[in-house]
Amino acid sequence: MFVRSALGKSLLLFFLVLAVGVFAQFEWQARDSFDEIKIKFDKVNGDNCPIQHVSDLYLPEDTVSHKPDIKEININPIFPNRTALLHLHNMALSRSFFWSYILQSRFIRPAINDTYDPGMMYYFLSTVADVSANPYINASAIYFAPNSSYTSSYRGFFNKTFPRFGPRTFRLDDFNDPIHLQKISTWNTFDIRDLGAHPPDSISRDYTSDLYKINEWYKKWLPDDVEGRHDTKTTYQVEIRYANNTNETFTFHGPPGADEDPGPVKWTRPYFDCGRSNKWLVSAVVPIADIYPRHTQFRHIEYPKYTAIAVIEMDFERLDINQCPKGEGNKGPNHFADTARCKKETTECEPLHGWGFRRGGYQCRCKPGFRLPNVVRRPYLGEIIERASAEQYYNDYDCMKIGWVQKVPIQWEKAPYHIREKYLDMHPEYRNFSTGASALHTENLNIDQALKFIHGVNYRTCKNFHPQDLILRGDVSYGADEQFQNEAKMAVRLANFISAFLQVSDPNEVYTGKRVADKPLTEDQMIGETLAIVLGDTKVWSAATLWERNKFTNRTYFAPYAYKTELNTRKFKVEDLARLNKTHELYTEKKYFKFLKQRWSTNFDDLETFYLKMKIRQNETGEYLQKYEHYPTSYRAASLKHGYWSQPQFDCDGYVKKWLVTYAAPFFGWDSIKVKLEFKGVVAVSMDMLQLDIKQCPDWYYEPNAFKNTHKCDEKSSYCVPIMGRGFETGGYKCECLQGYEYPFEDLITYYDGQLVEAEFQNIVADGETRYDMFKCRLAGASALQAATSLIIALFGFTLIMLYKCR
């Protein structure tokens, strides 16, 4: 009995200590705005969302901060944790431009019927490609206003409209899908539905009704009640030159311009996608314009109107939050501002990217005048601080005050001879250097001379150089695959769509009833798709859809090439490169075209397989959904890794006279007897290399970076950290003090700025007044110099006394 009682008391004491330890570990953390949102976030799920109040299905608008603004995209750099949100923005904009263009393209070649309108399969597969080409995008949809959608998918349906039409694709979690016996989630299974197909008496399933609850995206732009003047929709101009050398200027109405207020893109609050994907989503919404009503033969009563919206959505969980206090880089609105746990007396908060919707996505850096303890190598990580106990938190994560601080020198002097020689010996490429194009081919690269050559080439001077000098080494554009990833995904998206359409849609298929199969891809559709890439992403200067010989319907060669000649313009140009028939001008002879054609000539095993679960409307009025005749179906297409990055090139005879970096993605379709896949062509996008950020910091030996290790930091006391947004110029880095060193100057920063370091080094080279030799960190603890001196004097005195006594 005694043993039992002792054992029971011991267990009780153990659980009591455990409970106190667990629950008291974080008692220093007061409840804040993050906890409030997290409770609301966890409260709603797929089972209870239908009975939740509508206010519980939305989060505050300021829970998503730092939204990309089209007015600042070409001015201020986009934070790394907002590049996915920027792609969402650009994709919605691109789709709006395409649908606005193609719905009005009937005016390019006036037709006797509506055969120029895309069929239903085109809409469905277009939304599929939006999601399949980018793992960050969770859903894509096009919602038409009531009785505004014309279609060519029904026989005898001329000048008639669907009551509702809303093709939408969202990504399924296919972990338990019977298709995948391995029980591995692939992210490549999609649910495609026409949300306009529902019983007429089911108002809660009508996305235009207030009872739909989560249709804030619809109310952003629709219904478009035009009052007063009817010519209020923004126009865009396209100059088209066809293969037969005929020209045409087509003006179409589109979404608002970037300079208008409001701009073309509106963001929704985070909302729970109840009954659909059952996730918390954020969406970008852009209107689609059309001339309405159609086919009246009286143009004076047809006017431009927003008839639909393009909605692109992504998971709210994948968006990083900024817990740092409000400041220059975090002006708000930001619901999570000032929820970081940095100790404000000695540290300051700096956000990190990649954490998503959870705590700890920041680090605590030392404030000016403070330094890290000698045992700490890097700034304190927010995730570690958030998990700390009260004892750890109150005793650690502080910076130490720097006692003796130097003033920044005002008077500069020339460096002594031996100092100047020392630094020139450390950088011998500045003693004997090559100029012009040969500066890029030396053993030790002089980055200043290399950039001087690159910046010196323009449309006026390019004729003065040998053609080989206008093709740079591939490592000069290091980082393009990361910094231009969003633009590359635009090419992958179009390549995915063409692959899906060629493999899934069969123009010869016969359905029951009045429904007819989609017609083959048309010239106008391919021109519109190519043009939409350039209009939707400001970093893309040109885009091309290059078809292999005899692979496009009724054409031997077909290659629409869209480009712009200046930023922030509403005038664009399209050329059909098939009209160029000289040997060196043929697009099939381009290096990336030949490479991809050879790579994908026979073996297609490495391609991604995408599975489609498609449900379409039962009839013209959309009484209910039914499974598509091929359910489920699939197609194979290239992903981002299957493309090709070209060397930087200045095409002096081309349409865009800039240093361009090109990314090309292949697309595939069935052969003539539908037995196996074959290479059908390439989608290519080109970006301005000078918009890249140079990385001068050290890197692994195998990294193909022409400019690595060209920084000018003092490597004994500091290390190089890249700074984004500096462009194709030197100085895109900062020199941070190494562990055990401290920044010695009285300043508002705690590092040496790379641009200042590079400028002062140039003064050393030019033998001018400089302070480059002062850009070093000093040993930590210099403020204790006085105490150390006293100790040395005391030891010296003690030694003298002992020697005297022992004599």
Side-chain angles (χ1 to χ4, degrees), residues 386-398:
E386 297 279 356
R387 295 179 179 179
S389 66
E391 181 182 0
Q392 288 175 312
Y393 180 73
Y394 290 119
N395 294 328
D396 294 325
Y397 312 120
D398 271 312

Side-chain angles (χ1 to χ4, degrees), residues 356-618:
F357 178 61
R358 61 189 178 101
R359 288 186 179 277
Y362 60 89
Q363 63 182 12
C364 302
R365 301 173 43 82
C366 293
K367 295 177 72 173
F370 294 86
R371 65 172 176 85
L372 289 169
N374 289 348
V375 295
V376 179
R377 179 171 296 178
R378 294 291 186 266
Y380 301 113
L381 194 62
E383 188 177 26
I384 304 299
I385 297 176
E386 297 279 356
R387 295 179 179 179
S389 66
E391 181 182 0
Q392 288 175 312
Y393 180 73
Y394 290 119
N395 294 328
D396 294 325
Y397 312 120
D398 271 312
C399 288
M400 302 174 65
K401 186 171 180 59
I402 299 175
W404 180 60
V405 181
Q406 299 173 230
K407 293 285 186 182
V408 178
I410 298 175
Q411 183 177 353
W412 304 348
E413 297 178 353
K414 285 188 176 183
Y417 175 77
H418 66 282
I419 296 293
R420 181 171 182 268
E421 290 298 311
K422 179 182 76 171
Y423 289 118
L424 290 180
D425 285 343
M426 292 171 62
H427 300 278
E429 65 272 14
Y430 285 88
R431 286 190 184 274
N432 299 311
F433 53 83
S434 302
T435 60
S438 57
L440 285 161
H441 303 286
T442 56
E443 183 177 354
N444 295 317
L445 182 73
N446 185 321
I447 186 172
D448 293 286
Q449 292 300 323
L451 293 185
K452 186 177 180 181
F453 159 70
I454 291 173
H455 288 294
V457 179
N458 53 51
Y459 69 95
R460 296 189 188 93
T461 62
C462 62
K463 294 290 186 182
N464 301 331
F465 297 94
H466 192 279
Q468 289 185 348
D469 295 336
L470 300 180
I471 303 176
L472 304 181
R473 295 159 25 191
D475 58 356
V476 174
S477 60
Y478 174 78
D481 57 340
E482 178 184 350
Q483 298 177 48
F484 288 148
Q485 188 179 94
N486 284 352
E487 289 67 39
K489 286 176 181 175
M490 288 285 195
V492 174
R493 185 254 156 218
L494 180 50
N496 261 251
F497 166 72
I498 299 176
S499 297
F501 196 90
L502 294 179
Q503 295 171 46
V504 175
S505 177
D506 184 358
N508 298 318
E509 194 157 8
V510 178
Y511 303 111
T512 58
K514 296 181 180 179
R515 186 159 62 93
V516 296
D518 276 30
K519 295 175 175 58
L521 296 172
T522 67
E523 289 185 26
D524 288 335
Q525 289 167 354
M526 289 297 94
I527 289 174
E529 290 281 7
T530 310
L531 179 66
I533 296 178
V534 182
L535 272 75
D537 194 319
T538 57
K539 283 189 176 180
V540 176
W541 282 86
S542 69
T545 305
L546 313 177
W547 287 77
E548 172 64 328
R549 177 185 171 92
N550 292 325
K551 299 305 179 185
F552 190 77
T553 308
N554 299 326
R555 289 287 302 273
T556 305
Y557 291 105
F558 182 52
Y561 175 86
Y563 66 99
K564 60 189 176 187
T565 54
E566 58 181 329
L567 276 176
N568 307 320
T569 181
R570 294 182 187 173
K571 295 182 180 181
F572 301 86
K573 297 183 179 182
V574 174
E575 292 262 354
D576 187 348
L577 299 183
R579 70 180 187 81
L580 304 176
N581 52 17
K582 295 181 181 177
T583 304
H584 68 282
E585 293 178 337
L586 286 175
Y587 67 83
T588 54
E589 295 299 314
K590 290 184 179 293
K591 186 176 181 180
Y592 57 80
F593 189 94
K594 294 170 68 176
F595 175 88
L596 291 173
K597 180 181 177 180
Q598 181 181 6
R599 163 66 183 87
W600 299 103
S601 59
T602 54
N603 192 338
F604 306 98
D605 293 344
D606 196 37
L607 292 177
E608 295 275 355
T609 302
F610 300 98
Y611 299 93
L612 313 181
K613 295 185 175 182
M614 196 178 307
K615 292 184 178 180
I616 63 175
R617 57 180 54 223
Q618 184 264 341

